[in-house]
Amino acid sequence: GLIYRREGNYNAALESLTKAITADNTQARYYYNRAEVLRLKKDLEGAHGDLALALSYDPGCVEYLYVRGLVCVGLQRYEKAVVDLENAKNGQTNEKDVEMMHDTLYHLGLAHSGLSKYKEAVD
């Protein structure tokens, strides 16, 4: 599925990732990878559902929280976006997470702005 995704063949990626989930539906990473493909295809509802499943298996994963926050911004679910992005921000501790911090803060500002909380958006 990941190779198809890199190639831009999202339909084949979805098919492959769905087969992986069918074979073992307890792997959070499978749901996350499928969510990323759905997000690229602009199926934000589908991506949100898969991210919820990924987080049910790995609730503290910063990467999953971050991407679900992005999806919630896209769906204009700003309150949920704020929660997920704040949790992602607070959980970022290693070097890879720190690289994500700038983007997390940007999207957190967008979510606050969507809620007309302009002071929080610029803090």
Side-chain angles (χ1 to χ4, degrees):
L2 298 179
I3 292 170
Y4 289 129
R5 176 182 154 195
R6 270 178 264 168
E7 293 173 348
N9 189 347
Y10 300 140
N11 290 332
L14 285 175
E15 184 179 327
S16 177
L17 291 164
T18 299
K19 285 180 183 177
I21 290 168
T22 301
D24 183 356
N25 67 356
T26 65
Q27 297 299 312
R29 198 66 164 166
Y30 296 170
Y31 291 105
Y32 168 76
N33 287 330
R34 189 170 69 176
E36 281 286 57
V37 174
L38 290 167
R39 187 170 72 98
L40 290 168
K41 288 181 58 100
K42 308 294 188 222
D43 178 359
L44 298 182
E45 289 291 347
H48 187 272
D50 273 0
L51 288 162
L53 288 167
L55 283 160
S56 73
Y57 291 106
D58 190 357
C61 181
V62 169
E63 188 174 11
Y64 303 168
L65 288 165
Y66 166 72
V67 173
R68 190 171 70 176
L70 299 183
V71 168
C72 286
V73 168
L75 292 168
Q76 298 182 348
R77 296 179 187 161
Y78 299 117
E79 289 182 11
K80 180 62 180 156
V82 167
V83 171
D84 282 345
L85 292 168
E86 284 285 352
N87 286 334
K89 180 184 79 167
N90 294 335
Q92 293 173 350
T93 56
N94 63 40
E95 188 173 315
K96 179 184 174 197
D97 293 340
V98 171
E99 292 173 9
M100 203 184 329
M101 178 67 79
H102 178 4
D103 202 46
T104 301
L105 294 173
Y106 170 77
H107 285 92
L108 189 55
L110 289 178
H112 280 299
S113 179
L115 292 169
S116 299
K117 293 183 177 182
Y118 303 112
K119 182 183 179 323
E120 291 89 342
V122 295
D123 282 345

